[in-house]
Amino acid sequence: MEKTLQEYAAKIQKGEVDPIVYYNRSKSGVIFNPQDEKIPLNVLSFGIYQLEDGPFSHKTQGREYVIVPVTAEFRVECGSILFEGSRAGGPFETLPDQSNSMAVYIPGDSTFKISGKGEVVFFSAPSSGGRKPYFVRPGQVSLESRGRAFWRRDIVTLITPDKISTNLVVGETYSPPGLWSGTPLHIHDKDAPQAGQSDHEEVYYHLFRYNKGDWGSYGVQLMFNNTGLNKAFVIKDRTAVAIPGAAHPVVAGPVSDMLYIWGLGGKEGSLGMWDIPEFKFLKDVEKALDQIEKGKPDMVISEKIFKGICDEFNLSEQGIRVLSLVIKERGWV
């Protein structure tokens, strides 16, 4: 969010505020409280329940909640409504072919109780009311491939204001080893719907499939803008990241695939992500790769074919260079 970023960007850059929490499963409850001045959020709340510590009961008051199981068997009661589910194998059980993700929406001005075993995360944000409890069941939302080449990932959008919530947007992103997400660079820092941008804070909760040894798997989370914020953070399994705004791409290390559960909250309404202009050329490269992949994947691309595709999609000099590197990396030369 614009206001949140103005308040916290310099503090993050100076190390006065740390947006990273390495969660060790030792406690249940709120991890990022927007009322805490040491947390770079003003609207969005994030927490984790180890269900064996429960059951947990909560009055939502003027805030709405979304609960997402990590690895859990759970039971959520909201008034007379009961939702039960299981993600016993965890989020990587069915990936990369399909997602077993699910989410429970709890509206504002209600009370819910959650019990069971395993780990769930939750997000909350102010609510304008008028919604009902809702359970997004496994398989209800399909994986959607985004990006291409070195920035390809799969996304499941579970909760949106146009269908279920009034504010919260919640989902999951799966990244194969070594690939980038949050690319092309985008921001959602201003209330400018006509320009395709909304004003939202965000939280990532990173998970890795493989975590053997003392070092475990790793990735890198960036957070930067063009006015002085420029930080990189090592992420491990169960790393929570509070994102007040700015560009926030992330890359999975080469030793494990990665999944992160994400939630956004801010000004009520639809999410709008504004692509930073100098990186939008990557979307033209994506179209060019789509065209190439309609042919044989093992084909050798001649100079004539390559030039024709670059002309067809009006690639910039930088776009041509990136496309040529992708082609070389895939052995299509």
Side-chain angles (χ1 to χ4, degrees), residues 116-193:
K117 59 182 180 180
E119 179 178 313
V120 303
V121 301
F122 60 89
F123 303 89
S124 81
S127 169
S128 60
R131 299 292 192 179
K132 297 180 179 179
Y134 192 88
F135 185 18
V136 179
R137 301 179 183 276
Q140 186 172 333
V141 182
S142 300
L143 282 171
E144 177 186 350
S145 181
R146 298 263 184 93
R148 291 293 182 272
F150 316 127
W151 62 98
R152 201 204 68 75
R153 65 277 191 193
D154 294 308
I155 295 176
V156 172
T157 303
L158 298 167
I159 303 289
T160 59
D162 58 328
K163 293 183 178 180
I164 300 171
S165 65
T166 67
N167 188 327
L168 286 169
V169 187
V170 177
E172 295 183 351
T173 296
Y174 169 76
S175 290
L179 300 192
W180 285 90
S181 185
T183 303
L185 294 185
H186 67 266
I187 56 174
H188 34 74
D189 293 346
K190 291 185 178 181
D191 181 20

Side-chain angles (χ1 to χ4, degrees), residues 81-249:
I81 298 175
L82 171 65
F83 300 125
E84 293 181 294
S86 174
R87 201 179 191 182
F92 295 102
E93 182 76 8
T94 57
L95 290 169
D97 297 326
Q98 61 183 6
S99 171
N100 60 4
S101 59
M102 64 192 83
V104 175
Y105 171 75
I106 306 294
D109 300 318
S110 59
T111 299
F112 72 89
K113 177 181 178 181
I114 182 168
S115 58
K117 59 182 180 180
E119 179 178 313
V120 303
V121 301
F122 60 89
F123 303 89
S124 81
S127 169
S128 60
R131 299 292 192 179
K132 297 180 179 179
Y134 192 88
F135 185 18
V136 179
R137 301 179 183 276
Q140 186 172 333
V141 182
S142 300
L143 282 171
E144 177 186 350
S145 181
R146 298 263 184 93
R148 291 293 182 272
F150 316 127
W151 62 98
R152 201 204 68 75
R153 65 277 191 193
D154 294 308
I155 295 176
V156 172
T157 303
L158 298 167
I159 303 289
T160 59
D162 58 328
K163 293 183 178 180
I164 300 171
S165 65
T166 67
N167 188 327
L168 286 169
V169 187
V170 177
E172 295 183 351
T173 296
Y174 169 76
S175 290
L179 300 192
W180 285 90
S181 185
T183 303
L185 294 185
H186 67 266
I187 56 174
H188 34 74
D189 293 346
K190 291 185 178 181
D191 181 20
Q194 292 183 341
Q197 184 176 180
S198 61
D199 203 20
H200 281 83
E201 301 170 348
E202 190 164 15
V203 167
Y204 286 174
Y205 185 55
H206 292 285
L207 304 164
F208 290 87
R209 187 191 298 263
Y210 300 109
N211 289 285
K212 294 182 179 180
D214 295 334
W215 290 62
S217 298
Y218 63 91
V220 178
Q221 173 77 64
L222 303 180
M223 194 179 302
F224 62 95
N225 61 14
N226 59 351
T227 59
L229 178 60
N230 187 22
K231 300 291 284 187
F233 304 93
V234 175
I235 53 173
K236 310 286 283 185
D237 187 49
R238 288 177 164 77
T239 299
V241 185
I243 303 169
H248 43 279

Side-chain angles (χ1 to χ4, degrees), residues 1 4 20 33 38 41 43 46 52 63 93 112 142-143 145 155 179 206 237 278 283 303-304 319 321:
M1 291 185 72
T4 311
I20 298 288
N33 183 348
K38 288 294 185 179
L41 300 168
V43 171
F46 171 76
E52 288 84 354
R63 297 178 70 85
E93 182 76 8
F112 72 89
S142 300
L143 282 171
S145 181
I155 295 176
L179 300 192
H206 292 285
D237 187 49
E278 54 261 49
K283 291 194 171 181
E303 183 177 344
K304 181 179 179 180
R321 180 60 178 166

Side-chain angles (χ1 to χ4, degrees), residues 36 67 254 277:
D36 185 344
I67 301 166

